Amino acid sequence: YKQHNIPAIGMAGTMVNNQQSPCRRYGINKTTMANTYTQIYMHVIFAVKGRESMIRPEWQDELYRYMAGALKNHEHTPYIINGMEDHVHLLFGMTPKESLSELVQSLKIQSTKHIKEQYGCLSFAWQSGFGAFSYSKSFLPAVSNYIANQKEHHKKRSFDDEMREILEKAEIEYDERYILKGVTKPMSDT
């Protein structure tokens, strides 16, 4: 478990429903919660825009190290990052200091800038959206192993099939048009 000191909202000793707070009544006047305990493990998946194979093998590992550093800078704990030329998987312990959407957006922005500046891949961009799945600590070895063996998995099945399987195992309803592909325009009736 991780322990975090997070300020409480409001002040101890204030009136609640016209009654004095139990904290004030017993001489306790703290403005922060003693501790916040969390155990949040996230498996996040996102793809290159247009699902193009733009993550080059020659700089892939360095990109993953960069993303791990970015997670640490946000006070999260990276466990493993791996993927293919068109998508990445991240497994990390998350602190409750920011929303998952804010974190993923920041990771995408930072890594896109890094890719453009370090590797000269000026057309690189991530697709909008992502998949995120939470796991208990007991599942971390299995999920880590799954992420570590991406190249083997994708010899047998496509990224689309992989996403469908993960979504179905998690019992998440999805629309085929939006499996990390971006918005697809519906066909006209004419």
Side-chain angles (χ1 to χ4, degrees), residues 74-186:
H74 284 259
E75 299 182 34
H76 305 292
T77 306
Y79 288 101
I80 186 170
I81 301 173
N82 197 14
M84 298 297 291
E85 293 82 6
D86 66 345
H87 70 280
V88 295
H89 291 255
L90 304 92
L91 179 63
F92 58 94
M94 186 171 177
T95 61
K97 295 188 177 207
E98 65 188 316
S99 76
L100 181 60
S101 292
E102 290 169 337
L103 173 62
V104 172
Q105 180 181 24
S106 179
L107 284 172
K108 287 180 175 183
I109 290 168
Q110 290 174 36
S111 60
T112 297
K113 182 178 178 186
H114 178 78
I115 290 166
K116 289 179 178 186
E117 290 176 357
Q118 295 299 311
Y119 314 119
C121 192
L122 301 179
S123 63
F124 185 89
W126 297 109
Q127 282 191 322
S128 60
F130 60 92
F133 311 91
S134 61
Y135 291 94
S136 67
K137 189 173 185 174
S138 63
F139 281 92
L140 293 185
V143 177
S144 291
N145 185 54
Y146 177 82
I147 293 171
N149 291 303
Q150 279 295 291
K151 289 180 182 28
E152 285 301 311
H153 298 309
H154 289 291
K155 286 180 183 176
K156 300 173 188 166
R157 67 173 179 224
S158 70
F159 177 60
D160 287 346
D161 291 339
E162 176 185 44
M163 279 305 299
R164 281 185 202 91
E165 183 178 329
I166 292 170
L167 290 166
E168 287 167 7
K169 280 184 178 179
E171 298 180 6
I172 297 173
E173 291 183 21
Y174 61 92
D175 185 326
E176 280 286 332
R177 296 175 295 171
Y178 306 109
I179 297 183
L180 296 181
K181 291 181 182 176
V183 177
T184 304
K185 292 181 181 178

Side-chain angles (χ1 to χ4, degrees), residues 2-6 33-38 94-97:
K2 294 228 180 215
Q3 176 181 339
H4 314 283
N5 290 321
I6 298 176
M33 296 170 51
N35 295 298
T36 300
Y37 299 96
T38 64
M94 186 171 177
T95 61
K97 295 188 177 207

Side-chain angles (χ1 to χ4, degrees), residues 43-69:
H43 174 196
V44 173
I45 306 164
F46 48 90
V48 175
K49 188 172 185 175
R51 297 277 302 291
E52 292 187 47
S53 295
M54 296 185 78
I55 302 172
R56 307 303 324 146
E58 55 270 17
W59 47 262
Q60 187 176 53
D61 289 341
E62 198 279 327
L63 171 64
Y64 299 158
R65 284 190 296 276
Y66 178 85
M67 294 175 96

